[in-house]
Amino acid sequence: MRRLKKYQSGEAAQYITRRAALRKLQLSLNDFRRLCIIKGVYPREPKHRRRAQKGSSEIKILYHAKDIRFLLHEPIVWTLRDYKIFAKKTGKDRAVKDFRNLKRRLALFPELRIDHIVKERYPTFVDAIKDLDDCLTLLFLFSTFPSLRLIPREQSFLCRRLTIEFLHYIISSKSIRNVFISIKGFYFQADIKGQKVTWIMPHHYPFKPHSKAEVDFKVMSIFVEFYTIMLGFVNYRLYHSAGYTYPPKFRSEIHNDSQDNYKDELSYVSDRIATLNSDLICTENELEDEIENIDLDLLEQGQSSNRIMKLKKEAKELTNLRSLFKGLKFYVNREVPREPIVILIRSFGGKVSWDCTAFVGATYNESDETITHQIVDRPILSKKYISRDYIQPQWVFDCVNKRTLLPTNSYFLGVLLPPHLSPFVDSNRDSYIPPEENESQNESDCNQKKYVEGNTGFSASAKEIIDSHAMDDDQLQKAYIEERADFEEYDRIENEEEQNDDNIPEEQKEKLRHEETLSMSVQAGKVHKENKKIRRKNEIDEHRLQARMVKSRHRTLFRKLVREKQVKEKEKWLLKKKRRNIEAQKMSN
Amino acid sequence: MSAIKKKRISKKTKSAWRKTDIKDVEEFLEDQRQEERVGSFAEKKDDELFMVDATPLKHKPAILTEKQKRKLNAKKPLRSLEALNNTSKVQDPIVKRNRVRQKKSGRIIEEEVRNPTKPRHFQANKDRERYYETLEKKLKKEDQLTKTAKDVWAEEDFRDKIPGLKDEKGWISKELALHVTKNVGKPVIKVHDSIRHRTTKAKKFAAPPPGLSYNPSLDDHQALLKEVVEREEKIIKEENHLKRVTTQMFSKVTPEERDTRRLQEMRSGLDDESEGEANDATEDGEYRTINPPVENKKKSKQSRRKELQQKELQKKQAEKKALKKQIADLNRIKSIKTEVIAEEEALKILKKHRKKVELKKKFETKRLGRLKYVDPDIDVNMPEDIAGNLRNVKPESSLLVDRFKNFQKRNILPVSVATGKQKSKKVKRFPRSTHKDPGVSFQMLREQRKVGQTY
């Protein structure tokens, strides 16, 4: 065997510099960059740089040698090389002015096929959804771009189409969970197949010219090139799993991608929003709602431990959210950014319209008396209707985040708005929650109760759900459930009795009733007292059981979790104590 | 000049007279006779002599455009090759000269297609057919809508694609199938796991701070502002430190003093040289060094012995000392114990710290290129910019830059200064000849000379 020399094994053999990679792949730097971005191969940092760079200590861009070897097998490398040949040939034709040949060559432009790479990078559909954040943010951004030197016009058209398709799916599947208006743009968080997908929709007119030193447009364009293909496949799969036809049929104007439609930016935007106001064509009947109900029932059967309680609460919140704006009719004034509002209202079952003279796609007029809410973003309005609430746009966003219809009085026309809080801060976190925050939550609960009572249109079931919200204490919840079960049983028995009653003549009935009244008695109620010791003992036993059930390879993780919990509890206790002390001091003063 | 002069011939003899040309006289006479027979022009009427020509006999030559002229010219042989044309009237003396016959330009493809004779014609025909098929397919332009309208995540077996590999009876093992695919030219390439290895543990989506809201609560906004201020202060501190360590270390000098110093420095050797020369002149050209010459001093036997004795004595004393210390240590075991424990504790703390640093490093951005990643500034609306309604939102930060930085943060792109810097082409610029100043040419000089000669 040949004797290995220095730097022929170990870390030096594991890494390869970019220059060496270029030589090995026989590609230009631009082509290599494109290949790497499309294939998802990124530079690495070695553990020991001098060793990896064969003795040189300047910082070079390094890749895993294995990655580069993997790239060597890629069929699109050949296409990238073909581009070079293509450029040479067409260049010659152009110089000689052989336009006939040039036309033929241009028709035969070697196309970069990256379908198989999507599958390779995301082996399962869920993987693709997990990585959708960047994709969506970039595509939403690019869909608003004018045609630029380094960004082909078709690319931004494609982005527009794909994002509209995606939004349609989001609307019809009612999967939006959180929204946040930031100074960067509108944050949306949706729940797709159990994965949380977050993207940022820019405020209107997001395009600003950038200096070349800030952003490399070419690189971003390559990312978008890959993401368009990926989102195309994701859309197809989403549409098919939900039973919609793909590609979706919209208004005729937007669907054909003719260039004339995009001449005017303003008309394009209004067209885009108009399409959002139309329903998708369904191929199958929806079954989703039923499935969710079954799930809930299953949960109810199981014992009501803490976690299941939490899950149940979440599920109830969700069902509430899905029909949040059902039966409400909105009218959006001209000055309000319509796109995010239309998405939200439509995805939670509301109806929406706008000024029919200014924008296309309006479904009803401002003078419609059945409109329940009008969204206004100006200090005063000359003509008002009594039958509707005039609210500011933040109401819609806050309602979605709180999962209930908030009272409109603090969002009225010209009123100073309450702060728009971020939904990404977990309010149910285990750590210490200051009493102020707790109060605001309770307050909102109370308010919504009042609101519901005032609004007679609500069904009793909704009331129940909301009532259940107020009960944070699981003890209370337990008691409530028991009570309800009793009540149902009682109901059933009574029904049966009633059925029996029908057969018995009325005289006997009266007799029975008389007997019942005689035997009726009231017993003194007992306060349910719990033995704290027993409870604590039970808890410890349960914990021990859990610890025993944990597999040996997960033991460290389990210990870590337990320790974390302990630390958190201790922190909470400390802060509480601190607060108590401070308040005591205040009182004494 | 142009008319040919008639040759004068002497008319001395009769025969010379016979040679004279009387053609013109005879022609004239003939004309006269003809006129007598037919009649003169003057007598005839206009109608008999002329007729009105309604239709032009010949088409007027069309006025050619520049492009057409160029095309016509292109068909003509090149002017530069005109000299090669044989214009001689003399016939070639060698009748059967071996001439190089020009080949016909290209093959006659129509003929090959119509009746192929050679095997390569058949092959070419087949290839051509295939080419036109693909061309037609490509010219149809696949719509983007249909391009992605398929389920890539559908379960599929690589054995389905190659006929013969799919067998229900299970005779062909997977290894064999893999081998076949490799040799058929459609290898199944396994993706190695390390390609998807996450190089940073930082979250993909960082939740925006609540102070970023368009209408934030006071606490959230203040918290964000505090963070911004802290970061800014850190930067300022760093800058001040660098300033103190570098620029402020040097003493400052007025420009005049600097100039005088420079002058002095530059002419430092000039004055001394003359003196040195003078010194040299006084002494002889003998070589001398500054240090005195080294002498090799020998140690005496006695001194060597004494040195050895001293060394041994020292060694013995050290041993004695060590022994004494050991005995003393027996008495202070307790304090040693505490020392050891303290040392261990310090080591433990160090270990913990190292572990912490290592963990922190896992979340940090790696150094991929020459430059280090620096977090971009936090976007924040100043209190006076917060309008409190959606209409007057002041959008801060660019989403594109934000994404780009995010890619850099997640080790996807290396950081570089010249992001997207375009190489400008090197163009040699010079004024057009029409814009040049009239220079002096050789012709002009010659003309001037000529003019000078005439006067």
Side-chain angles (χ1 to χ4, degrees):
Chain A
M1 204 188 109
R2 198 164 53 88
R3 206 180 118 213
L4 282 177
K5 287 178 188 161
K6 198 180 183 187
Y7 300 133
Q8 275 186 339
S9 64
E11 211 168 3
Q14 268 171 17
Y15 292 95
I16 185 170
T17 59
R18 194 171 67 178
R19 254 183 102 76
L22 288 182
R23 231 178 298 133
K24 191 163 191 178
L25 287 166
Q26 297 185 18
L27 289 174
S28 68
L29 180 58
N30 278 337
D31 285 342
F32 178 71
R33 267 193 197 132
R34 192 165 179 192
L35 180 68
C36 282
I37 289 172
I38 287 172
K39 288 284 277 183
V41 169
Y42 308 124
R44 305 294 177 120
E45 190 190 33
K47 258 182 191 164
H48 201 297
R49 194 170 274 281
R50 193 143 44 76
R51 238 179 261 154
Q53 289 177 170
K54 300 182 177 165
S56 118
S57 57
E58 65 168 321
I59 297 179
K60 291 174 187 168
I61 296 175
L62 295 176
Y63 287 86
H64 263 321
K66 220 178 194 179
D67 288 355
I68 299 300
R69 239 175 289 138
F70 171 66
L71 288 182
L72 219 48
H73 291 294
E74 184 50 50
I76 67 167
V77 173
W78 289 100
T79 320
L80 290 173
R81 287 177 194 150
D82 281 346
Y83 279 154
K84 211 163 123 190
I85 300 163
F86 176 82
K88 265 186 198 166
K89 283 183 175 169
T90 50
K92 191 199 164 191
D93 285 344
R94 210 164 275 144
V96 178
K97 291 185 178 162
D98 186 355
F99 294 113
R100 195 167 140 262
N101 246 336
L102 182 67
K103 205 175 168 190
R104 184 180 60 85
R105 288 232 161 84
L106 286 176
L108 285 173
F109 180 71
E111 200 188 357
L112 205 67
R113 287 225 156 249
I114 50 180
D115 303 359
H116 63 286
I117 297 176
V118 175
K119 167 88 196 250
E120 186 188 278
R121 280 180 70 170
Y122 308 108
T124 61
F125 183 49
V126 177
D127 288 333
I129 287 176
K130 271 182 196 165
D131 208 30
L132 221 51
D133 293 0
D134 276 331
C135 164
L136 285 172
T137 307
L138 266 184
L139 292 199
F140 269 103
L141 188 66
F142 267 64
S143 68
T144 55
F145 275 0
S147 103
L148 299 168
R149 199 172 69 80
L150 288 167
I151 297 166
R153 187 174 276 264
E154 292 84 44
Q155 201 171 49
S156 54
F157 289 159
L158 191 60
C159 289
R160 285 168 189 182
R161 223 200 65 227
L162 289 171
T163 47
I164 287 183
E165 283 172 11
F166 179 75
L167 282 180
H168 264 280
Y169 171 77
I170 290 290
I171 287 173
S172 59
S173 68
K174 304 180 175 179
S175 45
I176 284 185
R177 295 291 169 265
N178 288 318
V179 268
F180 181 52
I181 317 169
S182 81
I183 51 174
K184 269 185 188 173
F186 299 95
Y187 280 79
F188 284 89
Q189 192 168 56
D191 182 39
I192 304 172
K193 309 267 167 202
Q195 301 296 328
K196 268 180 185 164
V197 176
T198 317
W199 72 94
I200 310 171
M201 189 186 277
H203 286 294
H204 201 36
Y205 306 123
F207 179 73
K208 285 181 215 159
H210 297 284
S211 72
K212 281 168 198 164
E214 268 182 318
V215 182
D216 194 342
F217 260 105
K218 222 180 198 169
V219 165
M220 296 314 259
S221 170
I222 297 167
F223 274 107
V224 169
E225 184 191 355
F226 175 73
Y227 284 144
T228 47
I229 301 287
M230 176 192 161
L231 189 63
F233 286 132
V234 168
N235 276 352
Y236 178 83
R237 176 104 182 195
L238 285 176
Y239 271 67
H240 266 245
S241 62
Y244 300 116
T245 49
Y246 187 89
K249 297 269 181 292
F250 301 132
R251 289 155 51 87
S252 57
E253 292 145 54
I254 192 125
H255 191 233
N256 45 17
D257 280 345
S258 64
Q259 313 265 323
D260 307 337
N261 287 337
Y262 300 112
K263 268 181 187 165
D264 183 11
E265 171 74 19
L266 215 69
S267 75
Y268 161 70
V269 170
S270 61
D271 259 359
R272 183 183 152 101
I273 298 167
T275 56
L276 288 179
N277 210 2
S278 59
D279 279 322
L280 283 177
I281 296 165
C282 207
T283 52
E284 296 161 29
N285 290 328
E286 281 182 74
L287 298 166
E288 283 179 45
D289 290 334
E290 284 178 30
I291 292 163
E292 296 233 336
N293 287 336
I294 291 162
D295 271 351
L296 264 183
D297 288 340
L298 263 175
L299 279 178
E300 230 155 273
Q301 280 168 12
Q303 85 276 46
S304 49
S305 83
N306 210 356
R307 214 169 128 239
I308 287 176
M309 276 288 188
K310 217 174 178 181
L311 277 178
K312 220 190 280 182
K313 198 180 158 193
E314 267 169 25
K316 267 177 186 168
E317 266 183 8
L318 249 179
T319 48
N320 193 23
L321 179 68
R322 286 168 140 256
S323 57
L324 187 66
F325 297 134
K326 210 167 198 175
L328 301 183
K329 239 176 162 182
F330 290 86
Y331 183 84
V332 184
N333 250 28
R334 261 185 318 174
E335 69 277 0
V336 181
R338 283 176 303 146
E339 197 166 6
I341 285 193
V342 169
I343 293 166
L344 289 183
I345 292 173
R346 289 256 306 124
S347 63
F348 300 123
K351 279 181 185 167
V352 65
S353 179
W354 47 77
D355 194 358
C356 60
T357 54
F359 314 107
V360 287
T363 44
Y364 44 84
N365 267 329
E366 191 180 353
S367 55
D368 194 342
E369 289 289 337
T370 53
I371 292 172
T372 53
H373 296 80
Q374 183 162 349
I375 300 168
V376 187
D377 196 9
R378 55 171 90 174
I380 33 168
L381 206 66
S382 55
K383 195 186 176 189
K384 283 197 203 171
Y385 293 83
I386 310 167
S387 58
R388 63 184 79 156
D389 285 345
Y390 284 86
I391 45 168
Q392 298 192 40
Q394 196 188 314
W395 182 78
V396 179
F397 294 88
D398 282 353
C399 282
V400 172
N401 286 341
K402 281 267 151 65
R403 271 115 214 257
T404 44
L405 291 175
L406 296 173
T408 50
N409 52 13
S410 50
Y411 296 90
F412 275 156
L413 182 69
V415 165
L416 194 69
L417 287 170
H420 179 63
L421 301 174
S422 168
F424 300 110
V425 180
D426 188 13
S427 60
N428 297 327
R429 58 186 183 270
D430 292 334
S431 59
Y432 173 71
I433 298 169
E436 284 88 355
E437 201 180 320
N438 242 338
E439 223 164 69
S440 73
Q441 269 181 26
N442 290 337
E443 200 174 284
S444 70
D445 285 345
C446 288
N447 280 340
Q448 91 207 351
K449 236 193 227 170
K450 267 182 217 161
Y451 185 70
V452 166
E453 274 158 20
N455 204 344
T456 46
F458 259 81
S459 63
S461 66
K463 230 186 220 177
E464 265 183 12
I465 289 161
I466 291 158
D467 280 349
S468 70
H469 278 236
M471 295 184 294
D472 286 334
D473 202 355
D474 27 323
Q475 284 273 313
L476 244 166
Q477 187 112 7
K478 244 190 236 172
Y480 166 75
I481 281 165
E482 275 168 16
E483 211 171 275
R484 227 182 99 184
D486 285 347
F487 180 71
E488 273 170 8
E489 211 168 297
Y490 175 72
D491 241 23
R492 212 186 60 228
I493 291 164
E494 208 172 40
N495 279 342
E496 277 173 15
E497 274 180 4
E498 263 178 35
Q499 279 172 4
N500 294 339
D501 286 353
D502 290 341
N503 304 332
I504 305 161
E506 281 202 8
E507 284 174 25
Q508 279 186 348
K509 258 190 199 174
E510 269 188 19
K511 242 185 203 173
L512 276 171
R513 210 173 285 157
H514 187 71
E515 276 171 22
E516 268 180 14
T517 46
L518 283 177
S519 63
M520 266 184 195
S521 63
V522 180
Q523 285 164 350
K526 269 183 196 167
V527 178
H528 177 68
K529 213 175 181 184
E530 211 181 22
N531 198 342
K532 265 189 182 174
K533 253 186 196 171
I534 291 171
R535 208 184 81 184
R536 179 138 182 80
K537 204 190 156 200
N538 281 341
E539 264 177 17
I540 289 166
D541 283 346
E542 203 178 329
H543 180 77
R544 267 187 197 152
L545 214 66
Q546 267 183 352
R548 197 169 284 180
M549 289 289 283
V550 171
K551 282 175 190 167
S552 59
R553 60 187 151 159
H554 295 146
R555 190 163 291 155
T556 45
L557 184 71
F558 180 73
R559 271 184 197 150
K560 204 174 147 192
L561 284 176
V562 168
R563 209 170 303 135
E564 257 172 28
K565 201 179 166 191
Q566 279 171 352
V567 166
K568 258 180 198 165
E569 267 174 9
K570 196 178 174 187
E571 219 167 56
K572 198 171 157 185
W573 174 79
L574 258 172
L575 285 168
K576 256 187 190 170
K577 196 180 160 193
K578 216 173 175 182
R579 175 111 192 172
R580 218 185 300 133
N581 284 343
I582 290 168
E583 266 165 16
Q585 264 183 10
K586 264 185 196 169
M587 288 290 280
S588 64
N589 287 341
Chain B
M1 274 225 309
S2 60
I4 308 152
K5 267 192 174 178
K6 274 185 177 174
K7 228 182 182 179
R8 271 301 210 179
I9 309 160
S10 75
K11 307 241 169 43
K12 208 167 79 179
T13 55
K14 207 173 183 179
S15 62
W17 270 102
R18 240 174 247 158
K19 273 177 192 171
T20 46
D21 197 10
I22 50 164
K23 216 176 173 184
D24 51 344
V25 179
E26 272 183 351
E27 263 178 12
F28 176 72
L29 284 175
E30 186 66 22
D31 275 358
Q32 235 179 6
R33 265 178 245 134
Q34 175 86 3
E35 217 167 271
E36 272 171 14
R37 263 188 274 135
V38 185
S40 67
F41 282 118
E43 286 165 10
K44 289 208 167 174
K45 280 179 184 175
D46 284 355
D47 292 356
E48 286 170 27
L49 285 174
F50 304 105
M51 55 184 259
V52 179
D53 195 356
T55 52
L57 284 175
K58 258 186 184 176
H59 286 286
K60 250 188 183 177
I63 301 161
L64 294 174
T65 59
E66 274 296 309
K67 203 174 173 186
Q68 284 165 332
K69 270 184 200 166
R70 250 188 279 130
K71 277 202 170 167
L72 278 180
N73 278 338
K75 277 180 187 170
K76 284 180 195 167
L78 290 175
R79 186 80 63 82
S80 58
L81 303 178
E82 227 166 43
L84 295 175
N85 281 348
N86 190 4
T87 52
S88 165
K89 294 276 163 62
V90 180
Q91 274 188 347
D92 194 350
I94 306 167
V95 184
K96 278 189 169 179
R97 186 185 288 279
N98 275 335
R99 256 187 294 154
V100 178
R101 293 192 190 279
Q102 241 180 352
K103 269 186 188 171
K104 262 181 260 168
S105 59
R107 291 141 58 194
I108 307 166
I109 296 194
E110 285 94 10
E111 199 60 30
E112 279 179 22
V113 172
R114 228 176 285 138
N115 41 1
T117 47
K118 288 171 186 167
R120 68 181 154 94
H121 294 167
F122 287 106
Q123 183 63 39
N125 283 347
K126 217 185 271 174
D127 287 350
R128 205 169 292 123
E129 200 177 311
R130 211 167 49 206
Y131 170 77
Y132 279 108
E133 255 174 41
T134 52
L135 182 65
E136 228 164 74
K137 222 185 270 172
K138 288 218 170 169
L139 284 178
K140 266 184 202 166
K141 269 257 158 158
E142 208 182 351
D143 197 9
Q144 192 72 31
L145 286 171
T146 54
K147 220 189 230 174
T148 56
K150 65 174 182 187
D151 193 0
V152 268
W153 288 284
E155 281 289 319
E156 61 175 16
D157 198 359
F158 69 94
R159 283 176 274 202
D160 293 342
K161 281 181 189 167
I162 297 165
L165 276 187
K166 184 82 184 167
D167 65 329
E168 278 76 38
K169 287 166 187 169
W171 286 349
I172 300 171
S173 67
K174 201 176 178 187
E175 286 81 50
L176 180 62
L178 277 172
H179 178 76
V180 169
T181 51
K182 196 179 167 190
N183 287 316
V184 158
K186 293 167 185 170
V188 180
I189 290 138
K190 201 190 152 204
V191 186
H192 56 283
D193 296 333
S194 64
I195 198 169
R196 303 280 165 259
H197 175 71
R198 282 185 66 193
T199 46
T200 167
K201 283 194 167 184
K203 272 182 190 168
K204 261 185 194 171
F205 167 73
L212 215 62
S213 166
Y214 87 107
N215 182 19
S217 68
L218 186 65
D219 290 348
D220 291 339
H221 191 243
Q222 288 296 327
L224 190 68
L225 273 181
K226 201 178 159 195
E227 204 179 324
V228 171
V229 166
E230 265 171 17
R231 198 186 274 193
E232 198 62 29
E233 272 175 351
K234 221 178 192 178
I235 292 168
I236 289 168
K237 199 179 165 193
E238 180 79 1
E239 263 175 12
N240 282 340
H241 167 76
L242 280 178
K243 213 175 179 184
R244 182 170 53 78
V245 162
T246 55
T247 43
Q248 285 179 4
M249 297 265 280
F250 302 110
S251 58
K252 288 191 184 78
V253 178
T254 57
E256 291 89 48
E257 200 175 340
R258 179 199 37 173
D259 288 344
T260 52
R261 270 190 197 178
R262 185 173 160 70
L263 196 70
Q264 255 177 17
E265 200 173 312
M266 292 332 264
R267 54 172 293 127
S268 60
L270 291 174
D271 299 333
D272 304 342
E273 215 168 274
S274 54
E275 285 167 25
E277 268 175 35
N279 286 342
D280 280 349
T282 52
E283 286 185 32
D284 309 327
E286 220 176 281
Y287 174 77
R288 275 191 183 184
T289 57
I290 304 155
N291 299 332
V294 182
E295 272 175 52
N296 195 355
K297 283 177 188 165
K298 283 272 183 238
K299 281 181 190 171
S300 64
K301 247 185 185 174
Q302 191 188 11
S303 66
R304 273 181 206 277
R305 200 190 63 237
K306 272 188 179 167
E307 245 173 47
L308 214 70
Q309 272 178 357
Q310 277 300 319
K311 239 183 202 171
E312 266 173 30
L313 202 72
Q314 263 176 14
K315 214 175 167 184
K316 254 179 204 168
Q317 267 176 349
E319 267 172 23
K320 222 185 216 173
K321 211 177 180 181
L323 200 71
K324 205 175 170 187
K325 211 197 165 212
Q326 269 184 13
I327 291 160
D329 279 350
L330 273 179
N331 297 329
R332 57 175 215 101
I333 279 177
K334 234 182 198 173
S335 64
I336 285 174
K337 220 177 198 172
T338 54
E339 263 172 36
V340 168
I341 286 167
E343 206 172 315
E344 256 176 13
E345 209 134 274
L347 268 177
K348 217 185 254 173
I349 287 166
L350 196 67
K351 221 176 180 180
K352 228 179 199 173
H353 177 70
R354 274 182 193 151
K355 214 174 182 183
K356 215 173 169 185
V357 168
E358 208 175 303
L359 190 76
K360 205 180 160 194
K361 224 177 176 184
K362 273 184 187 167
F363 288 88
E364 273 174 2
T365 307
K366 298 274 187 295
R367 182 82 174 263
L368 298 181
R370 214 155 42 80
L371 294 166
K372 214 175 173 187
Y373 170 77
V374 182
D375 268 327
D377 294 338
I378 300 172
D379 305 309
V380 67
N381 255 351
M382 284 295 130
E384 61 269 17
D385 291 336
I386 295 171
N389 55 23
L390 201 52
R391 192 167 33 114
N392 296 324
V393 167
K394 193 186 168 199
E396 210 75 34
S397 95
S398 139
L399 274 182
L400 193 68
V401 177
D402 187 56
R403 279 301 100 188
F404 189 66
K405 288 273 178 192
N406 194 258
F407 282 139
Q408 287 184 344
K409 191 180 182 183
R410 279 158 44 200
N411 299 333
I412 291 175
L413 292 175
V415 185
S416 62
V417 186
T419 326
K421 195 180 164 192
Q422 302 290 318
K423 261 188 202 165
S424 57
K425 280 179 189 167
K426 265 189 188 172
V427 181
K428 194 176 177 184
R429 290 188 184 282
F430 53 88
R432 274 170 186 260
S433 57
T434 50
H435 288 274
K436 255 183 193 168
D437 286 335
V440 184
S441 70
F442 174 72
Q443 257 182 346
M444 281 168 74
L445 284 176
R446 200 170 61 180
E447 267 166 25
Q448 273 175 16
R449 202 171 62 219
K450 271 183 190 170
V451 170
Q453 273 172 4
T454 52
Y455 284 101

